[in-house]
Amino acid sequence: MNSFSIKRLLGEEAKSQEVIVEGWVKTFRSNRFIALNDGSTIKNIQCVVDYGNFEEEVIRSISTGAAIKVKGNLVESQGRGQDVEIQVTDLFIHGKADAETYPIQPKKHSLEFLREKAHLRVRTNTFSAVMRVRSALSFAIHNYFQQNGFYYMHAPIITGSDAEGAGEMFRVTTLDAKNPPLTEDGEVNYKEDFFGKETNLTVSGQLEAEAYAMGLGKVYTFGPTFRAENSNTSRHLAEFWMIEPEMAFYDLDANMDLAEDFIKGVLKYVLEHCEDDLKFLEKRLLDEEKTKPQAERSEMALLEKLRFVVDNNFKRVTYTEAIDILRNSKPNKKKKFEYPIDEWGADLQSEHERFLVEKHFKCPVILFDYPATIKAFYMRLNEDGKTVRAMDVLFPGIGEIVGGSQREERLEVLQQKMADLDIPEEELWWYLDLRKFGTAVHSGFGLGFERLVQFATGMGNIRDVIPFPRTPQNAEF
Ligand code: 4AD
Ligand code: MG
């Protein structure tokens, strides 16, 4: 007989049929009631053991965290709290978990504590729920693009170019760090390195995706990206997953339409497919919020917030309009912003983004047409000569969740921009080729996957929505 998932068993009608389940003990009450979980669902199945039928040693091995196999009859539950339960006839202990040393006990552990036990934390309700939602979101993302005529493209992870031009890259090298080969000028000689040039882990697959959009029409990447920015915030990881669609013949408006429809589509999917987990996470969040001062609590519960985003239009606002709103805002006048806004051209900090989204518009916002000086080199210059066709999607509680743009498709304009920024043409000769041969209007964006998972699960810290987070000074596990 094969074992069944608990998710499936809980949906079965109990006719006293014999079943097998395997999982980890959540709790063992009164030497009689095992709450068993196998990760298939947030819910446990109750397994009832008759003490007298089993050896003392077996009973003693049943403790929180132990892996066991249970055979028995699935019957209607006598007790309250569950429809079905298993009356155990056979018990096999896969592996015990010593109660003295097993860190995940049936009580509330802080998220900080669990971060240090990242290899075990998925056995908690919170993390198993988050990771199931994360998995469902990944599926929904592929599903969305595959159903809408996009091809999945694998952009390289090792790259010679700095797509964002921010210089926050992790070097990839096989040279001996203590004794690297040197050039005549005493510089490290990367010609002798593995690839014969300087290479890094990619910060974005965009430039390569552009090449592929110019042949396949509509593509998307979904892979890990790496940034060596020393930001210890609840929104930044050094290794995170990014989804980057890139579309030939899309202008900025079409790009914004896609971003909005895409985000709504994948959130709708999890609303429809992850109800139990989202309800659990909503309750977790409500409990957590009770410990905060009133002013910091969010106005909507998790499910309501997700439905609100799915059902309402995102507000589209130009950077220039946003600066006016910010300049005249209360916190700006009362000098409450850490970075006061006075000039057009200022880069927006997360405090400003959150003010716009959470206090002013109270809905997701797409800001577009940013000053060229604060955005990457590849964005299309507007007729005014000072703004570019950039867009950022800003979310409540998160800030920037998507960054994208219409790309500069005009060769001369792009060359001029690269010259202004001292980006050597030799480094991006192939990217310029795309503008020489069959160039066309095209656009794309990047969605930070973990920030989306944060939004969908209500988790406040990005370290708690990826299995093994990489952050400054931390690459354990
Ligand atoms: O705004 P970014 O830097 O845009 C790009 O990389 C473009 N090449 C995307 C494109 O047009 N194809 O990053 C995109 C998104 C951000 O909006 C944010 O959600 C996320 O990636 N992100 C991070 N997420 C976690 N940790 C970090 N350190 C992140 N940096 C960016
Ligand atoms: Mg950005």
Side-chain angles (χ1 to χ4, degrees):
M1 200 190 334
N2 289 328
S3 56
F4 293 103
S5 77
I6 291 173
K7 184 179 179 178
R8 179 168 158 197
L9 281 187
L10 290 174
E12 297 266 309
E13 207 187 319
K15 297 181 299 248
S16 200
Q17 66 271 41
E18 191 165 68
V19 296
I20 295 179
V21 284
E22 289 164 295
W24 293 268
V25 175
K26 282 269 171 182
T27 55
F28 187 34
R29 267 192 307 122
S30 317
N31 268 349
R32 188 166 159 78
F33 302 104
I34 305 172
L36 193 69
N37 190 279
D38 64 356
S40 62
T41 158
I42 189 92
K43 293 178 178 155
N44 306 322
I45 196 159
Q46 173 155 290
C47 308
V48 186
V49 283
D50 265 325
Y51 189 82
N53 295 348
F54 301 93
E55 284 179 24
E56 177 94 30
E57 170 59 23
V58 173
I59 298 288
R60 248 189 285 121
S61 305
I62 307 171
S63 64
T64 298
I68 65 171
K69 180 176 183 173
V70 160
K71 192 175 178 184
N73 299 317
L74 187 71
V75 298
E76 258 179 58
S77 177
Q78 314 293 305
R80 304 214 280 149
Q82 64 274 323
D83 295 335
V84 297
E85 64 189 21
I86 298 173
Q87 232 123 44
V88 181
T89 52
D90 281 311
L91 245 176
F92 173 76
I93 310 288
H94 278 297
K96 300 190 225 182
D98 175 39
E100 297 290 303
T101 49
Y102 181 57
I104 315 290
Q105 289 302 318
K107 61 165 197 173
K108 199 169 158 42
H109 294 291
S110 73
L111 295 172
E112 291 78 9
F113 170 82
L114 291 170
R115 253 169 244 153
E116 288 167 12
K117 310 278 182 265
H119 58 310
L120 297 171
R121 66 180 180 172
V122 73
R123 301 192 199 177
T124 64
N125 288 333
T126 297
F127 283 91
S128 68
V130 167
M131 294 306 158
R132 276 187 299 270
V133 173
R134 182 182 167 107
S135 169
L137 271 174
S138 315
F139 177 77
I141 286 164
H142 283 294
N143 207 29
Y144 179 90
F145 286 124
Q146 296 287 335
Q147 286 187 349
N148 285 287
F150 285 72
Y151 295 103
Y152 182 28
M153 181 229 167
H154 297 104
I157 290 185
I158 299 173
T159 170
S161 43
D162 180 358
E164 293 305 301
E168 292 163 333
M169 308 185 77
F170 289 101
R171 170 140 313 145
V172 175
T173 178
T174 54
L175 294 180
D176 181 355
K178 288 200 199 97
N179 187 22
L182 300 178
T183 62
E184 281 172 8
D185 310 335
E187 305 274 331
V188 175
N189 187 0
Y190 288 102
K191 287 215 173 75
E192 289 189 30
D193 203 348
F194 189 92
F195 296 106
K197 62 182 290 193
E198 286 189 63
T199 49
N200 296 288
L201 294 178
T202 190
V203 294
S204 155
Q206 177 196 321
L207 304 190
E208 290 89 353
E210 282 186 55
Y212 263 60
M214 287 302 169
L216 291 176
K218 295 196 285 186
V219 299
Y220 69 103
T221 71
F222 188 169
T225 45
F226 308 86
R227 295 196 184 177
E229 45 190 338
N230 205 357
S231 331
N232 252 313
T233 79
S234 58
R235 315 265 176 263
H236 288 87
L237 291 166
E239 175 180 294
F240 64 99
W241 288 66
M242 187 154 44
I243 295 99
E244 295 185 273
E246 190 70 33
M247 301 74 65
F249 315 118
Y250 270 50
D251 64 9
L252 189 71
D253 284 323
N255 200 23
M256 292 196 271
D257 290 345
L258 177 75
E260 183 168 344
D261 188 62
F262 162 62
I263 296 177
K264 287 177 172 173
V266 299
L267 290 177
K268 192 153 177 267
Y269 181 91
V270 291
L271 275 169
E272 284 164 5
H273 291 83
C274 303
E275 208 190 343
D276 290 344
D277 288 320
L278 292 178
K279 278 189 177 151
F280 172 83
L281 290 165
E282 170 168 286
K283 178 154 185 319
R284 190 203 76 84
L285 196 58
L286 287 173
D287 291 345
E288 187 185 88
E289 298 229 316
K290 279 185 202 146
T291 65
K292 292 186 192 164
Q294 191 78 37
E296 284 172 33
R297 294 184 201 167
S298 67
E299 287 167 24
M300 288 182 210
L302 182 61
L303 285 154
E304 189 187 359
K305 198 173 68 177
L306 295 178
R307 281 192 212 105
F308 179 85
V309 169
V310 169
D311 293 337
N312 288 282
N313 289 337
F314 296 5
K315 180 84 186 162
R316 300 186 190 185
V317 188
T318 64
Y319 166 90
T320 304
E321 289 169 287
I323 283 291
D324 280 342
I325 294 168
L326 288 167
R327 209 191 271 133
N328 296 318
S329 70
K330 252 196 211 154
N332 200 51
K333 289 185 170 156
K334 290 190 169 166
K335 310 225 179 307
K336 288 275 162 61
F337 284 140
E338 194 181 333
Y339 298 88
I341 296 280
D342 40 44
E343 299 268 321
W344 187 94
D347 203 354
L348 299 186
Q349 306 296 326
S350 103
E351 56 179 347
H352 308 128
E353 297 175 343
R354 295 184 64 166
F355 173 81
L356 290 169
V357 174
E358 290 160 26
K359 298 282 184 301
H360 190 81
F361 291 110
K362 296 184 190 286
C363 71
V365 173
I366 310 184
L367 284 190
F368 63 100
D369 284 351
Y370 282 78
T373 45
I374 58 172
K375 288 290 181 185
F377 77 97
Y378 50 71
M379 298 189 181
R380 194 183 197 280
L381 191 63
N382 276 314
E383 304 312 315
D384 63 12
K386 56 177 196 173
T387 59
V388 286
R389 304 246 76 191
M391 63 158 197
D392 278 3
V393 181
L394 312 179
F395 258 44
I398 304 287
E400 180 191 335
I401 195 162
V402 159
S405 65
Q406 186 174 323
R407 318 307 188 189
E408 185 55 77
E409 86 286 10
R410 298 162 297 183
L411 180 64
E412 297 75 29
V413 184
L414 186 58
Q415 282 172 319
Q416 185 58 53
K417 186 68 171 285
M418 287 170 59
D420 292 347
L421 293 173
D422 286 326
I423 304 172
E425 290 199 12
E426 308 82 77
E427 264 180 32
L428 287 173
W429 62 272
W430 60 273
Y431 190 69
L432 290 167
D433 262 9
L434 303 174
R435 277 73 183 165
K436 289 181 190 157
F437 310 119
T439 191
V441 166
H442 65 291
S443 299
F445 62 82
L447 169 78
F449 185 54
E450 283 73 22
R451 293 191 188 175
L452 178 70
V453 181
Q454 272 192 282
F455 184 74
T457 58
M459 298 300 283
N461 195 310
I462 200 164
R463 293 167 177 82
D464 298 330
V465 299
I466 188 165
F468 298 102
R470 268 66 181 118
T471 50
Q473 298 300 312
N474 169 37
E476 194 66 52
F477 308 100

